[in-house]
Amino acid sequence: MQQSVTLGQKFKGALQLFRPELPLAAGLCVVIGQVVALGRLPALSLVGLGFGCGFLLSASALITNDYFDREVDRINAPQRPLPSGLLTPFEVMALGLATALLGLGAAWILGPVAFGVSVLIWLLGFAYNAKFKATGLWGNLMVSTSVGSTFLLGGISVGQLWHPAIWLLAGITFCFDLAEEIAGDAMDAEGDQYLGSRSLALVYGRATALRVAAVLFGVVVVVTLLVVVLGNLLLQQVLTILVTNLLIIFFVVRLLRSQTPAEGRQAMRGLYLSGSLGLLGFLLAMVFV
């Protein structure tokens, strides 16, 4: 018989659902979009609303992903809060909807265009989790579009949707996240097979999927190097890009050489942290000059 779960254990399980490094990065992307579009740090109220909107919408997508993936997670990640019994499906979905409403509330304050884009971002994430995750590349494209749109949301929140730099950042992030999604499917192939997924890893093989991901990461490196060569960047920004690219190359090599899902996930975490720290360094270089 399953033991009762304490309130403290439920709270710990709820925190695990957030996977904080991912929502933090989403909120950071919105703020970077604001700073790049304006060329300076906007009012702190706009920073707070933009960050909160990105953080909460990302958290909602991650939480509802656990709800819809609860059967697959019994295979891929039995330690997660749902398959381990820390939380019930109702509690997880309620938390996912609550964070979505809070995020959309912040977007409403930012204005009608920001609210409309935020609704689209949330709908993409929810539709992916509910129906399109098993479609393979199409699902990967939906997630990457949502992630790249966070920069556009930042520009919209300060009235600068069409600033070319935020579209460039959105495109780079789209490629980076698409590479992560494809590589992630390669790590989760065993559980995805249970769902009848059409991921690149299951259709064409793990090695092919990882090579496609590596090419996309390579596109990110090449484009950012072109920005260094052709752009009018500060020395701090140039150094941030170069260090980030070296880390990306290092972890891509580790990803390609990985022999087990655990090794691959470690390399992917290194890639994600490298990209996130690179964005943070780029932002700090712009603000503190």
Side-chain angles (χ1 to χ4, degrees):
M1 186 173 67
Q2 185 177 359
Q3 294 181 345
S4 61
V5 180
T6 66
L7 186 61
Q9 289 173 318
K10 283 187 176 293
F11 181 74
K12 182 179 179 181
L15 289 179
Q16 290 177 24
L17 290 177
F18 277 80
R19 282 168 275 191
E21 68 271 16
L22 301 176
L24 283 171
L28 180 62
C29 288
V30 176
V31 175
I32 291 174
Q34 293 176 329
V35 173
V36 170
L38 286 180
R40 56 179 173 80
L41 190 69
L44 290 181
S45 59
L46 287 176
V47 171
L49 286 169
F51 180 87
C53 182
F55 180 94
L56 290 165
L57 291 179
S58 174
S60 176
L62 291 167
I63 292 167
T64 53
N65 177 72
D66 270 48
Y67 174 85
F68 288 109
D69 268 8
R70 59 191 184 276
E71 296 302 326
V72 175
D73 281 347
R74 295 186 195 278
I75 301 171
N76 286 336
Q79 77 282 359
R80 296 293 298 161
L82 258 176
S84 66
L86 287 179
L87 296 171
T88 68
F90 175 82
E91 290 168 337
V92 171
M93 181 54 76
L95 183 59
L97 292 177
T99 51
L101 289 174
L102 288 171
L104 293 175
W108 179 261
I109 298 172
L110 289 170
V113 179
F115 178 75
V117 171
S118 296
V119 169
L120 288 175
I121 290 173
W122 182 79
L123 286 175
L124 274 175
F126 191 87
Y128 167 79
N129 288 329
K131 293 290 185 182
F132 291 93
K133 189 169 187 179
T135 60
L137 184 59
W138 287 110
N140 299 150
L141 290 169
M142 291 175 70
V143 174
S144 302
T145 299
S146 297
V147 173
S149 296
T150 54
F151 291 101
L152 305 184
L153 181 59
I156 291 168
S157 69
V158 294
Q160 298 289 333
L161 170 60
W162 302 112
H163 195 293
I166 62 171
W167 284 88
L168 177 62
L169 280 172
I172 291 171
T173 304
F174 171 86
C175 288
F176 191 96
D177 191 76
L178 182 58
E180 282 195 316
E181 289 294 317
I182 291 171
D185 285 346
M187 301 306 114
D188 293 338
E190 182 182 355
D192 289 345
Q193 193 168 21
Y194 170 83
L195 280 182
S197 173
R198 299 287 298 169
S199 70
L200 292 183
L202 287 175
V203 175
Y204 298 105
R206 180 181 187 274
T208 298
L210 291 182
R211 284 195 290 268
V212 171
V215 168
L216 288 167
F217 282 123
V219 170
V220 170
V221 170
V222 170
V223 172
T224 52
L225 289 178
L226 286 175
V227 171
V228 168
V229 173
L230 301 176
N232 184 23
L233 300 181
L234 301 169
L235 176 61
Q236 301 96 309
Q237 293 171 319
V238 172
L239 292 175
T240 297
I241 290 174
L242 293 179
V243 170
T244 302
N245 281 343
L246 287 174
L247 289 171
I248 290 173
I249 292 169
F250 172 77
F251 285 112
V252 165
V253 172
R254 288 191 60 181
L255 179 65
L256 290 172
R257 291 178 176 176
S258 64
Q259 299 297 314
T260 65
E263 290 178 359
R265 290 189 185 100
Q266 287 181 346
M268 288 176 59
R269 183 172 178 80
L271 282 162
Y272 185 85
L273 291 175
S274 298
S276 298
L277 290 174
L279 287 172
L280 179 60
F282 195 85
L283 173 63
L284 292 176
M286 288 191 67
V287 173
F288 298 105
V289 294

